[in-house]
Amino acid sequence: MRLQTGLLVIFLCVNYSQAFWPWPFTKTHKHRQDPPPPPPPPPEPKISPVIFVPGDGGCQIDARLNKSDTPHYICEKTHDWYTLWLDVEELVIPMVYCWIDNVKLYYDKATRTTHNTPGVETRVPGWGNPEVVENIAPSKNSAGVYFRDIANVLIELGYERKKNIFGAPYDFRKAPDENKQFFIDLKELVEDAYERNNQSAVTFISHSMGSPMTLIFLQQQTADWKSKYIRRQISLAGAWAGSMKAVKVFAMGDDLDSFALIASILKQEQITHPSSAWLLPSPLFWKPTEVLASTPSRNYTMSQMKEFFQDLDYMTGWEMRKDTLPYSENFSPPEVELHCLYGDGLPTVESLQYKKDDIANTTPNLVMGIGDGTVNQRSLRACQHWSGYSSSEVNTLALQGVDHMKILSNSDALRYIRTVMKQP
C-alpha cells in the first residue's frame, strides 16, 4: 500500500513538472509586431503656375553708355548700367532729349533688323522675376504699377513669387521677328515652372501687346506640348488685331496720357520701334477701303498705307510694316483655354483728319470711335473669332467703361481672375 502511494506521488510530480517547470525551454515566444507605417502625406495640391506676359512699355530696360557724342551738353557720354525705362525723371525736358537718343532704334534695311544708337548697350533685366513686371519702375513709383494687383490676388490664393508666379519681360521696342530668343526662353520657363510645381500646367496672364506675343508663342508649339504644359491664357485688353493708335503714333506721337509729356518729342523714338509697326491695324479686321486718314483732297485707306508713310516722309515705317505683317496675317487660334477680358465703351481714335494736304510734321485731328481708349473695339473683340474655329474653350468678358490700363486693377477683372485660378 505504501509502495502504491509513493508511486502515485512520483507520478503526479513528474506530470506536474512537465506541465509547469520551465526546464527545458519549451515555451514558444511570440514576436512583437512593428506598428503599421504612418499613412503617406496627402499629395501636394496642384496649383497652376502663372507667367505674366507684359505689353508695350511693360518691361524694364537697362542701358550702359560709352558714346562718342550726345545730342545735348547735359547728356552723359559714359555711364554704367542704369534704368533706361522706366524712370519718369528721364522723360522731362531737357533730360528727355538724352533719353530719346539712348532708347531709340535704327533700322538696317539690308538686314531688316534694328540696333541701338552707337555706344548704347541695352538689356532687359529680371527674367522669370514677376516683380519687374508688377512695377516697371525700380523705384516702385506709382506711375510704374503694372501687374501688382493681380499678383496680390494670386498671393491671397496661396501663390508665392518666384515659386509659382513668374514674369516674362522682353524688349518691347522690337517686334516678334527680333524677339526669337524670347520665345525660346519662354518655352524653357514654362517647362521649368511645370516641373517645379508638381507637374502642373501653366497659366499665361497677358496684357495688351503681350496677348498677341503669347499667341505667336502658342502657334509655334505642338498640340501635345500645349496639352501637357499649358492650362489656359487669361488675356487683358489684348491688342489682337492692332490699333489705330499706332497710326496716330507715326503721325503725331503719343504723350502716354500724361500732361507733363509732349507727344511730338516722344514721337522721335516711338516711330523707330518695330513693335509700333506690328501694332498697326490688321488687314484681317480692317477692310482695304477703310479710311485711316484724310486731307481736304484725298483719303488714305488701308490699301494705301504705303502712300501714307511716303507722305509722312518716313518710309522706314513702311519697311517695318512689311517685316511684321506676316505675324498679323496669321490669326490661327491658340488652341488652349482662353479667357478674353477687355474694356469697352470708351472714345478711341478711329481715324485721322488733316486740315492741310501736306501731312508731314503736322498734327491731325482725331476722329473717335469705340474701344478701351487705346485699342479699338474690333481688335479687342477679335478673340471672339476663334469661338467657331478653336477646339478649345473661348470665354469673353467686356467691361464697360474700363480703360486699357485700369483693367489691370479693375475689381470685376480681379474677381474673374480669382474665380478662374481657383479651378484646378
Side-chain angles (χ1 to χ4, degrees):
M1 184 65 179
R2 290 180 178 177
L3 179 61
Q4 292 177 341
T5 302
L7 291 173
L8 178 62
V9 171
I10 293 171
F11 174 79
L12 290 173
C13 288
V14 171
N15 281 280
Y16 184 86
S17 68
Q18 289 178 345
F20 295 101
W21 193 249
W23 306 102
F25 292 103
T26 57
K27 185 176 179 181
T28 302
H29 294 275
K30 294 183 179 179
H31 293 286
R32 185 176 62 183
Q33 293 183 347
D34 294 331
E44 183 179 344
K46 286 202 170 187
I47 186 170
S48 174
V50 168
I51 297 177
F52 294 137
V53 184
D56 193 4
C59 315
Q60 298 175 14
I61 297 180
D62 293 342
R64 182 163 60 184
L65 308 180
N66 186 19
K67 304 168 70 174
S68 58
D69 55 47
T70 63
H72 197 285
Y73 74 90
I74 66 168
C75 302
E76 294 180 297
K77 290 184 178 180
T78 61
H79 200 296
D80 203 358
W81 289 108
Y82 73 100
T83 300
L84 181 62
W85 177 265
L86 170 70
D87 183 349
V88 293
E89 294 180 359
E90 296 266 336
L91 302 180
V92 297
I93 294 175
M95 295 303 299
V96 68
Y97 298 110
C98 310
W99 178 79
I100 287 172
D101 195 56
N102 293 335
V103 76
K104 69 181 180 181
L105 296 171
Y106 291 83
Y107 183 76
D108 186 332
K109 190 174 179 179
T111 63
R112 310 204 74 81
T113 59
T114 56
H115 60 82
N116 294 319
T117 298
V120 177
E121 183 181 357
T122 56
R123 68 183 183 189
V124 178
W127 178 254
N129 184 358
E131 294 175 343
V132 299
V133 294
E134 290 180 49
N135 192 317
I136 59 176
S139 64
K140 305 303 180 184
N141 187 294
S142 60
V145 172
Y146 197 27
F147 279 104
R148 183 193 65 184
D149 292 332
I150 299 175
N152 288 338
V153 166
L154 296 174
I155 288 170
E156 291 173 1
L157 294 176
Y159 280 76
E160 297 179 37
R161 291 180 175 90
K162 301 179 186 179
K163 177 182 178 182
N164 38 43
I165 309 176
F166 305 94
Y170 57 95
D171 192 338
F172 58 81
R173 300 174 299 169
K174 303 194 176 190
D177 57 321
E178 291 190 82
N179 268 306
K180 293 178 181 178
Q181 187 61 44
F182 165 75
F183 298 118
I184 295 172
D185 294 341
L186 184 58
K187 187 171 185 178
E188 292 179 357
L189 181 61
V190 168
E191 293 176 353
D192 181 60
Y194 171 89
E195 294 295 343
R196 289 171 58 184
N197 288 276
N198 198 24
Q199 296 188 334
S200 300
V202 169
T203 293
F204 287 119
I205 300 182
S206 57
H207 176 249
S208 191
M209 189 175 76
S211 293
M213 282 291 284
T214 305
L215 171 63
I216 290 172
F217 169 76
L218 293 171
Q219 289 172 337
Q220 295 172 351
Q221 313 309 318
T222 65
D224 288 344
W225 188 90
K226 287 184 283 192
S227 177
K228 178 178 179 179
Y229 289 106
I230 305 299
R231 177 65 182 87
R232 61 176 73 88
Q233 178 183 1
I234 301 175
S235 167
L236 303 170
W240 299 108
S243 173
M244 269 299 301
K245 189 169 185 178
V247 179
K248 171 182 174 282
V249 165
F250 282 105
M252 57 186 289
D254 184 65
D255 61 9
L256 308 179
D257 296 325
S258 172
F259 292 111
L261 305 179
I262 302 174
S264 60
I265 294 177
L266 296 180
K267 172 188 172 184
Q268 299 172 43
E269 62 87 18
Q270 291 169 342
I271 64 174
T272 69
H273 298 178
S275 59
S276 296
W278 180 40
L279 291 174
L280 288 165
S282 166
L284 299 181
F285 291 87
W286 270 259
K287 297 177 182 178
T289 57
E290 286 196 67
V291 176
L292 305 179
S294 62
T295 72
S297 64
R298 68 159 298 171
N299 292 330
Y300 296 93
T301 65
M302 271 289 290
S303 63
Q304 297 168 326
M305 191 176 290
K306 179 179 180 179
E307 296 173 39
F308 178 69
F309 279 109
Q310 284 176 331
D311 291 347
L312 284 178
D313 193 26
Y314 192 67
M315 284 303 291
T316 295
W318 174 247
E319 295 299 328
M320 293 190 297
R321 165 71 166 181
K322 290 191 294 183
D323 294 339
T324 58
L325 192 58
Y327 296 99
S328 300
E329 291 177 330
N330 178 7
F331 203 64
S332 57
E335 295 297 0
V336 299
E337 178 184 308
L338 176 65
H339 299 266
C340 187
L341 284 65
Y342 57 89
D344 205 354
L346 295 176
T348 306
V349 60
E350 191 74 22
S351 66
L352 311 179
Q353 192 172 62
Y354 290 89
K355 294 181 179 179
K356 299 179 180 180
D357 289 332
D358 183 2
I359 66 173
N361 300 314
T362 61
T363 301
N365 295 323
L366 303 180
V367 179
M368 307 304 284
I370 300 296
D372 69 356
T374 297
V375 178
N376 306 92
Q377 186 184 72
R378 71 181 88 182
S379 181
L380 296 164
R381 291 181 173 181
C383 52
Q384 296 177 353
H385 171 80
W386 292 316
S387 295
Y389 299 93
S390 175
S391 59
S392 300
E393 182 180 352
V394 178
N395 304 279
T396 61
L397 176 64
L399 300 168
Q400 292 299 313
V402 178
D403 75 21
H404 192 68
M405 294 302 298
K406 289 182 179 177
I407 194 171
L408 293 156
S409 58
N410 175 264
S411 58
D412 291 329
L414 296 178
R415 190 178 304 112
Y416 186 100
I417 292 170
R418 179 191 297 272
T419 300
V420 170
M421 295 309 299
K422 284 182 177 179
Q423 301 173 10

